[in-house]
Amino acid sequence: MIKHKDDVYEWFKHLDATTRIDVMCSIFYSCSPFEIRFFGTCIENLAKKDYHALKDTDLQAVDISSLQDSNINILKVCPQLRSRLIISLCLLKSRPGNPSGVNILSDLLSRVDQHLALYQFDSTFDHRLIEDVRLLLMVAVHHPAFSFNQRQEFINQMENFNRVFSHLFDQPSSKQNCSCQTEETLLPDVR
């Protein structure tokens, strides 16, 4: 048993959403199949309490056909649209009834490198933009709805993105909130 379990909880609680998702997925990958099944049951039970509050959001998230425009640049869209992308990706089922949704999200995320090369940087970076894109890529890296090749591409994009912005990740202002960076109007607080 961990001697300093409270320290681990405290450390985890103060991580940004991107790092928490990466840590949890990495822990799950190191568990046995029986442990995974047990955790899945626990998570399913926890998810039931928010089912009714998230039902409308879930239905809206599935309909992402309006995002099919090939000219959408994730680095230049408004925070509300990035929030919608984050929510859509988080609520995407591992076996979606809408495979075109997976393709739309994959196409949008596969162009992050290309848009990053065109992005004009100034002295004041939008930390929320950086955290939102990191979160989108991290969720995509671990999401089972994407193929192995798609996830490999997201890993490469994440590494490039982190390389460009690594100097900002340790600044206190980049970790303002450890909850999912979403607009309250899109994802109501259900606690």
Side-chain angles (χ1 to χ4, degrees):
M1 193 68 180
I2 300 173
K3 291 182 182 179
H4 303 286
K5 192 164 56 170
D6 291 337
D7 294 338
V8 173
Y9 294 151
E10 200 60 32
W11 168 79
F12 184 78
K13 192 167 49 173
H14 289 92
L15 294 175
D16 60 87
T18 305
T19 308
R20 287 199 312 195
I21 287 171
D22 191 36
V23 167
M24 286 305 300
C25 288
S26 297
I27 288 171
F28 290 148
Y29 294 143
S30 66
C31 292
S32 73
F34 293 111
E35 292 167 333
I36 293 292
R37 187 67 182 262
F38 171 72
F39 294 140
T41 302
C42 292
I43 290 169
E44 230 176 78
N45 189 49
L46 283 172
K48 284 179 187 175
K49 74 179 177 103
D50 297 328
Y51 174 78
H52 294 292
L54 293 176
K55 187 174 183 180
D56 290 339
T57 306
D58 197 6
L59 292 173
Q60 291 172 0
V62 172
D63 181 25
I64 58 172
S65 57
S66 63
L67 302 175
Q68 198 162 9
D69 180 6
S70 61
N71 296 324
I72 292 178
N73 179 340
I74 292 175
L75 300 176
K76 294 196 176 193
V77 297
C78 66
Q80 291 82 8
L81 183 54
R82 285 195 313 271
S83 293
R84 184 167 173 223
L85 285 169
I86 291 168
I87 292 168
S88 294
L89 192 54
C90 288
L91 295 178
L92 187 66
K93 308 284 189 243
S94 60
R95 292 192 180 129
N98 180 7
S100 65
V102 172
N103 293 333
I104 291 169
L105 289 168
S106 178
D107 288 344
L108 285 171
L109 292 171
S110 67
R111 292 191 304 270
V112 169
D113 272 353
Q114 160 189 354
H115 295 306
L116 189 59
L118 301 172
Y119 193 73
Q120 297 297 315
F121 299 108
D122 58 17
S123 59
T124 58
F125 291 106
D126 180 355
H127 288 285
R128 180 169 177 192
L129 165 69
I130 294 165
E131 288 303 315
D132 284 353
V133 174
R134 284 183 67 227
L135 182 58
L136 277 166
L137 288 171
M138 184 58 70
V139 172
V141 163
H142 291 291
H143 206 296
F146 295 110
S147 70
F148 175 79
N149 290 337
Q150 288 170 320
R151 285 187 280 165
Q152 283 301 122
E153 184 178 338
F154 300 144
I155 288 170
N156 293 337
Q157 297 225 29
M158 183 80 169
E159 288 171 354
N160 290 339
F161 193 81
N162 285 341
R163 197 172 13 263
V164 170
F165 293 107
S166 64
H167 64 285
L168 298 175
F169 299 147
D170 294 328
Q171 294 180 5
S173 60
S174 69
K175 295 182 181 176
Q176 296 169 358
N177 186 353
C178 57
S179 62
C180 186
Q181 294 91 347
T182 58
E183 290 297 311
E184 290 177 8
T185 57
L186 295 177
L187 185 61
D189 186 13
V190 291
R191 290 177 216 163

